Every structure is written in structure tokens, then in C-alpha cells.
Amino acid sequence: MPVAKKPSYDELEQRVQELERKKEMLEANLNRYELAINASEEGIWDFDPRTSDAHVSSRWLNMLGYEEGELQASYDTWLELLHPDDRPGAENAIKDFLEHPTNLLSIEFRMRTKKGDWRWVHSKGKVYEKDARGNVSRIVGTHVDITERHRLEIDLRTTRFCFEKASIGIYRIAPNGNILDVNRQAALNLGYTVEEMRGMTLFDIDPNVSEREYVEIWKILREKGMNHFERVHRRKDGTETAVEITTNLLEYDGQQFSIAFVVDINNRKKVVEEKEKLQRQLLQAQKMEAVGLLASGIAHDFNNMLSVVLGNAELATLDLETGQNIRHHLERIQNTALRSSGLVRQLLAFARKQTIQPIVLDINYTIANMLNVLRRLIGENIDLKWLPGHEPGKVMLDPSQVDQILANLMVNAKDAINGAGNVTIETSRVEIDTAYCETHYWFKPGSYVMLSVSDSGHGMDKDTQNKIFEPFFTTKEIGRGTGLGLATVYGIVKQNKGFIHVYSEIGQGTIFKIYFPITDVASKKIKSEILTEAPLKGCETVLIVEDDEGILELSETILGRLGYTVITAKTPDQAIKEAQAYTKKIDLLLSDVVMPSMNGRELAQRLEEIIPGIKCLYMSGYTANVIAHHGVLDQGINFLPKPFTAKDLARKVRDALGD
């Protein structure tokens, strides 16, 4: 047997150097692997199932909040960190893997962190080594923290569940109108299946929306991030239903789409319509009740007045036959007729249909001009104080209505005081803002003149305050009031777009605050009409056109006695013929407004062609809305409301003629 040749020293040296190079390469590779493991987002573990020994990477420890050396890695340690609900499943998965090592180990479970909270982990492993007997001696694997992914999956499942089970329709719509997805309720509302609607567009279910409107909806959506509106959607069977839509803009992976929440409000609208119908019926019933109350009150007062008129007319006739003086009876008839006229004016004011000629007034000047008359109304035992505000502003009002308001409030205050006391009239400028209107819903924001009337009377309780503006409601004794005074004030205020507020307490007096909108037009100073002047005479020619024979004869007689030359006509056609036949100048047309063949305005226009420059004075017993329909109540038009006295007619004729 040949003897092996021993290697030389040089050969041994060469082998040693080669082993050193391999060692360095292995150490370098090991360092690279270690760096890669530590830099990885995955935690690395190395497990020997025979001894239960384990080695883990720093990333594995960091995922649970530990630093190196703080946790002894072993199979038992891993089991202790598992969530109790997940431990049986994890142990069974390890057992199955060891019995069938050809499979890939894959488990999800929760592990407790150093802080005590739980993190979801996905663990994967494979067999790395086996011993001589074929038993698994080494398993290498990774741990990945999937907590956020797990939460996202739960959120997605929850969102999808809510999407599918929501009781309102939910749409996902592309900017071009394509329906990307809908939930079951959306399809059910319109009678489609979910699959059918996924192939449709918004224009299929809302045929009334134009492309321009849709572009505007998306413009608002992009600017504000959401939009809210109502539309009408068409069902599969062709019927339509009202819907309320709230859309939100979402963006994912560079693409925009809207999430639309659609609520069917058809039943709600029907309920609202039914409620409004019932409300209208209730209001109609209340109106009929008010009409019945008005009719009862009017019948009572007018029957009393007519009894006085008829009785005194009969007595005057009897006294005339016996040669006795009938002046007393005639005065009673005249006074009662004036009271009847006043009652009519109160009713019209209450109904807000009083014929008015509003002009721009300096409220301070107008009230100051009435003070002497108001003092006589309340008597000498009541002290009247006047506190005018500094430039409270101008208002658009009929001067006679200012008289009515203050006269009614003065009489009301006088009755409340019932003896000595004081009444204060005050004006000021106030600004009503939106915040105030939120708690006082009957007000509107703006600038107002506030007219306040306060008294030191006995005051009112809350129940009385709630009724004081009702027609014919009165706390006075029988025969001392009609119950229309404050109802008249309320009607005038509302007719002029104002507001009224009352504050009162028992024993503390009452304050009425009235608010009229301020106007910027130049004011006109007007004297109070509570006091009338003596009839003014004239010598001009007046053409009277009136289809009521009694009014025509009365007007002719009054103006004839005042020195006017009077021409009369019962119809507009007759008036035109009279004007054409009259050879001298006709100075004034005094015409009724509402007549069968031609209204007063049309007649005046025809006569202007015949008699250029003729002056006009209109008269009527109709309410304001009827007269306005015939074009008479314009600014600067001369108007005489019926009924009128001889003094009223004389003054209005002189005003119309320009003197």
C-alpha cells in the first residue's frame, strides 16, 4: 500500500489562506443577512421544535414594544403572549404543521404588547432542517403586523354591511353620470334590481335634469365637498317620486366620484300637504267664526243706530205736521249717521281694506300738531307727555290713520286710568336685526320708527292681552265701547306693513309700541284731520258723474249752495255728451270710481281729450283693493271716500281745484 504524500508547507499555507477567505465571505454574508433581517418590516423567527428554543429578530421584538434582552424568546414565551381566544387555534396549527411538514405554516393571531394592548400578527414558516431520523429540527419564519389591515378589513366589512342594509338609497356615481354602484334600498325604491341599476346612468332615473344642471351640481360639489337638494326620480314602472338627495365628494386613486344618499320623501310631502290642507280648513273655520262674530256685532250696533235714525225721522215728520221745531231730531239723525260711518271705517281698518292715501310724513310734526286735540280727548285730569325722538325718520302713512291710531289709544288709556294719571307719547328710531327676529318672529329686519304710547292705568293680565286685538272684544261696560278700537289700530298697522307689541302688568299700566318702516323720500307736513274746517265756497264749474241718484242730488245741492255751477250726469256716456255740449269751461270732474260702462279713470281720460287740463276728484264707497283695481289710488290722486259730509266735500273740491 503506497504511502500518501504529505503536503508541503507552501500547500498548507495556501489552504489556510483559502479557508480564511471563505470565512471572511461567510462572515460578510452573515452580516448582510443580519442587516437585511433587521431592516425588514417583517419580524424573523427561528424555532427548534425539539427543544422549544427560539431566536427572534429585533424587528420581531420591536413590533411588540420590546428591546433586545427584555424578552426571553421561546415557544412558551410565545404562547404566553397569545390572546386566550387565539391560543388553541395557534397550537393546533403548529401541531398539524409538524405532522405534515411539507405544508406551509400560515397563522393569524393576536399578541400582547409590552403596553398591554393587542396586535394582529400574520405568521408564516417553513421547514429549514431535519435531523437524521427525519424529524423537523428547525423552522424559520416571519411575523408581519397586520393590525391596520385587519382594522381596515373590519371597516370595509362594516361599511359594506351598512351600505347593503341601509334603509335609504345609496349611490356611487361617476362625474359623467354613470351609476357605479347602488345598495339594495336604492334599487327597491325605484323597482329595479341592483344589477340593472349598475348599468344605468343618472339621466335614466332623473330625466328632468339637464346636462347644464348636472354640471352645476358637480361644480357646487367640488367647491363645497357636499351638496343638498330635492329632485324627482322616475321608477321602472314610469311613476315619479320626490326624493331628497345629499351628495359628498370622494376621491380615490386619482379618480373622483360622488356618494349620494337618497331619501324618498313622497310620503313626507303628502303628510305636509295634508297638514297644510287641514291648516287651511282650520283657518277657514276660524274665519267663518270671526265672520259670525263680526256679523253679530255689526247687526247689534247698526240695528241700534237705525232705530235711532228711523225713530227720529218719524218724530220729525210728526213734529213738522204739528209745526214743532224738528232741529233736535235732525241733529240726532246726523250724529247717528256719523257714528255709523265711523263704525264702517273701523271695520275696514280692522279688515285692512280701508281706503288710504299714504304720503311721506314727519311723524314728530304730525303728532305735535294733534296734541291739543288729544289732550281734550283724555281730559284735564290726565297729564299728557310728549317725548319726540331726535330725527326718528320719515314714514309712509295716511295722516288720517295716524289720527285714528292715537285717538283710539288715547280713549283706551283714558278708560284704563279712570281718574288722575298720565299718558306718554314717545318716538324713536330703532334697528331690528336678524337675531331679534329669531325670538320675535312677527318682526322683519330693517329700520323703523317706533311710536310708543304708555299709560299709568290698571294694566292687563296675559289672558286679556291675548284677546285685545280681536274684534268686538272689550272689557268696558255695555254701551261704553264697540270693541273695535284696538282691532282698528291693529288693522291700520298691518295695512301699512308695520308691527305692534304690547306690554302690560296688573297695576303697572300698559305700553303699546308700534313700528312703521322708515322711508327715505322727502316728507310732507300735514295738519291733523281730527278738527275740520268750515266749508269753503267757490265759483268754478263742476261736472258730477254718479250713478246713485241720492248721492248725485246731494252733491249737486251742497256744491250749488257753495256757489259752484254744477252739471250732473248719471252715466259716463251722458257726461261726455254734456261736456261736448257745454260752451263754457268745465273746471273739475267729480266722478264715482266704479260705474257700469266705464270707470272714473277712463272717463277722466276721455274728458281730457275734450277739455285739456280739467281737474279730477274721485269718490267711492268701495274698499281700497277694489279702488286700486280701477287705478285710482296712485300717489297724488285726489280722492273722497264715501260717506262724506258737506264740509268733507267742500274741502276736497277746493283741494282738487288747487286752492
mmCIF file of all heavy atoms in Angstrom, residues 158-174:
data_model
loop_
_atom_site.group_PDB
_atom_site.id
_atom_site.type_symbol
_atom_site.label_atom_id
_atom_site.label_comp_id
_atom_site.label_asym_id
_atom_site.label_seq_id
_atom_site.Cartn_x
_atom_site.Cartn_y
_atom_site.Cartn_z
ATOM 1 N N THR A 158 -67.745 46.463 7.683
ATOM 2 C CA THR A 158 -68.801 47.240 8.347
ATOM 3 C C THR A 158 -69.461 48.207 7.371
ATOM 4 O O THR A 158 -70.691 48.345 7.326
ATOM 5 C CB THR A 158 -68.214 48.032 9.533
ATOM 6 O OG1 THR A 158 -67.581 47.129 10.427
ATOM 7 C CG2 THR A 158 -69.305 48.804 10.258
ATOM 8 N N THR A 159 -68.601 48.897 6.574
ATOM 9 C CA THR A 159 -69.125 49.849 5.594
ATOM 10 C C THR A 159 -70.014 49.151 4.581
ATOM 11 O O THR A 159 -71.090 49.646 4.228
ATOM 12 C CB THR A 159 -67.968 50.565 4.880
ATOM 13 O OG1 THR A 159 -67.169 51.245 5.847
ATOM 14 C CG2 THR A 159 -68.489 51.565 3.873
ATOM 15 N N ARG A 160 -69.559 48.020 4.119
ATOM 16 C CA ARG A 160 -70.349 47.282 3.136
ATOM 17 C C ARG A 160 -71.657 46.801 3.746
ATOM 18 O O ARG A 160 -72.715 46.833 3.100
ATOM 19 C CB ARG A 160 -69.554 46.089 2.601
ATOM 20 C CG ARG A 160 -70.171 45.445 1.365
ATOM 21 C CD ARG A 160 -70.119 46.381 0.185
ATOM 22 N NE ARG A 160 -71.022 45.964 -0.888
ATOM 23 C CZ ARG A 160 -71.154 46.623 -2.025
ATOM 24 N NH1 ARG A 160 -70.451 47.725 -2.241
ATOM 25 N NH2 ARG A 160 -71.987 46.205 -2.955
ATOM 26 N N PHE A 161 -71.566 46.369 5.006
ATOM 27 C CA PHE A 161 -72.789 45.930 5.684
ATOM 28 C C PHE A 161 -73.782 47.086 5.790
ATOM 29 O O PHE A 161 -74.968 46.934 5.494
ATOM 30 C CB PHE A 161 -72.441 45.391 7.074
ATOM 31 C CG PHE A 161 -73.624 44.958 7.885
ATOM 32 C CD1 PHE A 161 -74.183 43.707 7.718
ATOM 33 C CD2 PHE A 161 -74.212 45.829 8.808
ATOM 34 C CE1 PHE A 161 -75.290 43.317 8.463
ATOM 35 C CE2 PHE A 161 -75.310 45.452 9.556
ATOM 36 C CZ PHE A 161 -75.850 44.180 9.377
ATOM 37 N N CYS A 162 -73.268 48.244 6.220
ATOM 38 C CA CYS A 162 -74.135 49.425 6.333
ATOM 39 C C CYS A 162 -74.675 49.835 4.974
ATOM 40 O O CYS A 162 -75.835 50.237 4.835
ATOM 41 C CB CYS A 162 -73.370 50.591 6.966
ATOM 42 S SG CYS A 162 -72.865 50.310 8.667
ATOM 43 N N PHE A 163 -73.810 49.750 3.952
ATOM 44 C CA PHE A 163 -74.215 50.089 2.587
ATOM 45 C C PHE A 163 -75.372 49.206 2.133
ATOM 46 O O PHE A 163 -76.365 49.686 1.587
ATOM 47 C CB PHE A 163 -72.999 49.936 1.665
ATOM 48 C CG PHE A 163 -73.268 50.252 0.220
ATOM 49 C CD1 PHE A 163 -73.293 51.555 -0.232
ATOM 50 C CD2 PHE A 163 -73.481 49.227 -0.692
ATOM 51 C CE1 PHE A 163 -73.528 51.841 -1.565
ATOM 52 C CE2 PHE A 163 -73.720 49.498 -2.023
ATOM 53 C CZ PHE A 163 -73.744 50.811 -2.464
ATOM 54 N N GLU A 164 -75.225 47.908 2.374
ATOM 55 C CA GLU A 164 -76.242 46.967 1.910
ATOM 56 C C GLU A 164 -77.521 47.025 2.739
ATOM 57 O O GLU A 164 -78.624 46.885 2.206
ATOM 58 C CB GLU A 164 -75.683 45.538 1.931
ATOM 59 C CG GLU A 164 -74.555 45.293 0.950
ATOM 60 C CD GLU A 164 -75.005 45.414 -0.499
ATOM 61 O OE1 GLU A 164 -76.221 45.370 -0.751
ATOM 62 O OE2 GLU A 164 -74.130 45.578 -1.367
ATOM 63 N N LYS A 165 -77.377 47.237 4.055
ATOM 64 C CA LYS A 165 -78.533 47.151 4.947
ATOM 65 C C LYS A 165 -79.181 48.506 5.238
ATOM 66 O O LYS A 165 -80.168 48.568 5.967
ATOM 67 C CB LYS A 165 -78.123 46.503 6.272
ATOM 68 C CG LYS A 165 -77.531 45.105 6.137
ATOM 69 C CD LYS A 165 -78.522 44.122 5.528
ATOM 70 C CE LYS A 165 -77.918 42.726 5.430
ATOM 71 N NZ LYS A 165 -78.868 41.761 4.811
ATOM 72 N N ALA A 166 -78.624 49.601 4.699
ATOM 73 C CA ALA A 166 -79.160 50.941 4.988
ATOM 74 C C ALA A 166 -80.610 51.048 4.534
ATOM 75 O O ALA A 166 -81.017 50.464 3.525
ATOM 76 C CB ALA A 166 -78.312 52.011 4.301
ATOM 77 N N SER A 167 -81.389 51.810 5.296
ATOM 78 C CA SER A 167 -82.807 51.987 4.981
ATOM 79 C C SER A 167 -83.050 53.118 3.989
ATOM 80 O O SER A 167 -84.188 53.414 3.656
ATOM 81 C CB SER A 167 -83.591 52.267 6.270
ATOM 82 O OG SER A 167 -83.111 53.436 6.902
ATOM 83 N N ILE A 168 -81.980 53.782 3.535
ATOM 84 C CA ILE A 168 -82.087 54.806 2.498
ATOM 85 C C ILE A 168 -81.257 54.385 1.299
ATOM 86 O O ILE A 168 -80.345 53.566 1.415
ATOM 87 C CB ILE A 168 -81.617 56.191 2.997
ATOM 88 C CG1 ILE A 168 -80.128 56.155 3.381
ATOM 89 C CG2 ILE A 168 -82.455 56.656 4.165
ATOM 90 C CD1 ILE A 168 -79.570 57.514 3.722
ATOM 91 N N GLY A 169 -81.563 54.932 0.147
ATOM 92 C CA GLY A 169 -80.820 54.596 -1.053
ATOM 93 C C GLY A 169 -79.451 55.248 -1.059
ATOM 94 O O GLY A 169 -79.322 56.425 -0.730
ATOM 95 N N ILE A 170 -78.424 54.467 -1.420
ATOM 96 C CA ILE A 170 -77.057 54.992 -1.502
ATOM 97 C C ILE A 170 -76.515 54.692 -2.898
ATOM 98 O O ILE A 170 -76.597 53.562 -3.383
ATOM 99 C CB ILE A 170 -76.140 54.371 -0.435
ATOM 100 C CG1 ILE A 170 -76.728 54.577 0.972
ATOM 101 C CG2 ILE A 170 -74.747 54.976 -0.509
ATOM 102 C CD1 ILE A 170 -75.930 53.920 2.076
ATOM 103 N N TYR A 171 -75.979 55.736 -3.538
ATOM 104 C CA TYR A 171 -75.453 55.612 -4.893
ATOM 105 C C TYR A 171 -73.972 55.994 -4.898
ATOM 106 O O TYR A 171 -73.551 56.881 -4.152
ATOM 107 C CB TYR A 171 -76.169 56.563 -5.856
ATOM 108 C CG TYR A 171 -77.634 56.281 -6.090
ATOM 109 C CD1 TYR A 171 -78.580 56.435 -5.086
ATOM 110 C CD2 TYR A 171 -78.086 55.898 -7.353
ATOM 111 C CE1 TYR A 171 -79.927 56.207 -5.314
ATOM 112 C CE2 TYR A 171 -79.433 55.667 -7.597
ATOM 113 C CZ TYR A 171 -80.353 55.819 -6.570
ATOM 114 O OH TYR A 171 -81.683 55.595 -6.811
ATOM 115 N N ARG A 172 -73.202 55.346 -5.778
ATOM 116 C CA ARG A 172 -71.846 55.807 -6.098
ATOM 117 C C ARG A 172 -71.864 56.158 -7.577
ATOM 118 O O ARG A 172 -72.074 55.294 -8.427
ATOM 119 C CB ARG A 172 -70.804 54.736 -5.775
ATOM 120 C CG ARG A 172 -69.373 55.202 -5.986
ATOM 121 C CD ARG A 172 -68.371 54.317 -5.234
ATOM 122 N NE ARG A 172 -68.428 52.919 -5.648
ATOM 123 C CZ ARG A 172 -67.673 52.411 -6.629
ATOM 124 N NH1 ARG A 172 -66.840 53.193 -7.296
ATOM 125 N NH2 ARG A 172 -67.763 51.135 -6.925
ATOM 126 N N ILE A 173 -71.645 57.457 -7.872
ATOM 127 C CA ILE A 173 -71.877 57.970 -9.223
ATOM 128 C C ILE A 173 -70.607 58.619 -9.757
ATOM 129 O O ILE A 173 -69.945 59.397 -9.060
ATOM 130 C CB ILE A 173 -73.029 58.995 -9.229
ATOM 131 C CG1 ILE A 173 -74.292 58.359 -8.633
ATOM 132 C CG2 ILE A 173 -73.308 59.496 -10.633
ATOM 133 C CD1 ILE A 173 -75.423 59.330 -8.424
ATOM 134 N N ALA A 174 -70.280 58.334 -10.995
ATOM 135 C CA ALA A 174 -69.122 58.927 -11.660
ATOM 136 C C ALA A 174 -69.469 60.338 -12.131
ATOM 137 O O ALA A 174 -70.653 60.682 -12.291
ATOM 138 C CB ALA A 174 -68.704 58.067 -12.844
#
